[in-house]
């Protein structure tokens, strides 16, 4: 698959991809810091996966501005009704998700 408005390969696809079409709102109160630590008990596959996560995070941090621009562009296209049919079909309903997030926050006193 090639890079598109709703899809961005991480390091040319070697480390995965970002599917902007699946963006969902996350309240700051619901965020939890995750630390990638290596433990003596880690298996080789654990270490490989933690390295992959670390590489992805580093790549995303170094491309932060471009990622945010692309996410905002897609969001606005969907929210403003400017996206074409199959793009709309692939994407979450961002405005609806935001309304539901606000309802959740209110119901849970967040």
């Amino acid at each position: 698959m090639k890079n598109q408005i709703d899809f961005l390969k991480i390091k040319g696809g070697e480390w995965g991809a970002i599917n902007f079409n699946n963006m969902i709102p996350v309240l700051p109160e619901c965020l939890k810091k995750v630390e990638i630590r290596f433990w003596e008990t880690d298996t080789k596959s654990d270490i490989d996966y933690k390295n992959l996560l670390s590489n992805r995070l580093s790549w995303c941090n170094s491309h932060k501005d471009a990622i945010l621009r692309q996410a905002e562009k897609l969001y606005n296209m969907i929210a403003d009704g400017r996206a074409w049919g199959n793009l709309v079909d692939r994407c979450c309903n961002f405005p609806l998700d935001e309304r539901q997030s606000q309802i959740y926050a209110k119901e849970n006193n967040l």
Side-chain angles (χ1 to χ4, degrees), residues 41-109:
T41 56
D42 285 349
T43 64
K44 180 177 177 347
S45 62
D46 291 335
I47 293 167
D48 291 346
Y49 188 63
K50 289 177 182 182
N51 280 326
L52 175 63
L53 293 177
S54 181
N55 289 336
R56 286 176 174 174
L57 179 60
S58 178
W59 188 93
C60 287
N61 284 333
S62 67
H63 294 82
K64 177 181 168 181
D65 292 338
I67 291 169
L68 291 174
R69 276 193 308 274
Q70 189 166 340
E72 187 174 358
K73 182 177 180 181
L74 176 63
Y75 174 89
N76 289 332
M77 287 175 68
I78 296 296
D80 297 343
R82 293 183 288 118
W84 50 95
N86 64 346
L87 178 60
V88 173
D89 294 342
R90 289 194 309 260
C91 290
C92 293
N93 183 333
F94 304 138
L96 174 61
D97 291 344
E98 286 181 315
R99 288 191 300 275
Q100 295 295 10
S101 178
Q102 291 167 354
I103 291 168
Y104 174 84
K106 186 175 181 181
E107 290 175 350
N108 291 279
N109 299 313

